[in-house]
Amino acid sequence: MTKVRLIQMMTILCSGAMVLQTGACDPLNTLNDYVQTVLLGITAAGAIAILQNI
């Protein structure tokens, strides 16, 4: 995997996690909610990567 591709995948992952956190979690939620949201973002980023490689 090239360095550019790795940076691109990390950017997708981080931006997806940030969008999900700001849209789905309010500041009063527990740490568990944030962890679940980040894992959901990772899953979404993985799905995007799989679909792009098909």
Side-chain angles (χ1 to χ4, degrees), residues 9 12-13 40-52:
M9 289 180 67
I12 291 171
L13 173 70
L40 181 61
I42 291 170
T43 304
I48 290 171
I50 289 171
L51 289 174
Q52 286 178 349

Side-chain angles (χ1 to χ4, degrees), residues 27-39:
L28 300 176
N29 281 343
T30 61
L31 179 64
N32 188 31
D33 291 336
Y34 287 105
V35 170
Q36 288 179 350
T37 304
V38 169
L39 292 176

Side-chain angles (χ1 to χ4, degrees), residues 6-32:
L6 181 63
I7 291 172
Q8 193 176 39
M9 289 180 67
M10 291 301 294
T11 303
I12 291 171
L13 173 70
C14 292
S15 62
M18 287 174 19
V19 168
L20 287 173
Q21 282 185 349
T22 57
C25 296
D26 62 10
L28 300 176
N29 281 343
T30 61
L31 179 64
N32 188 31

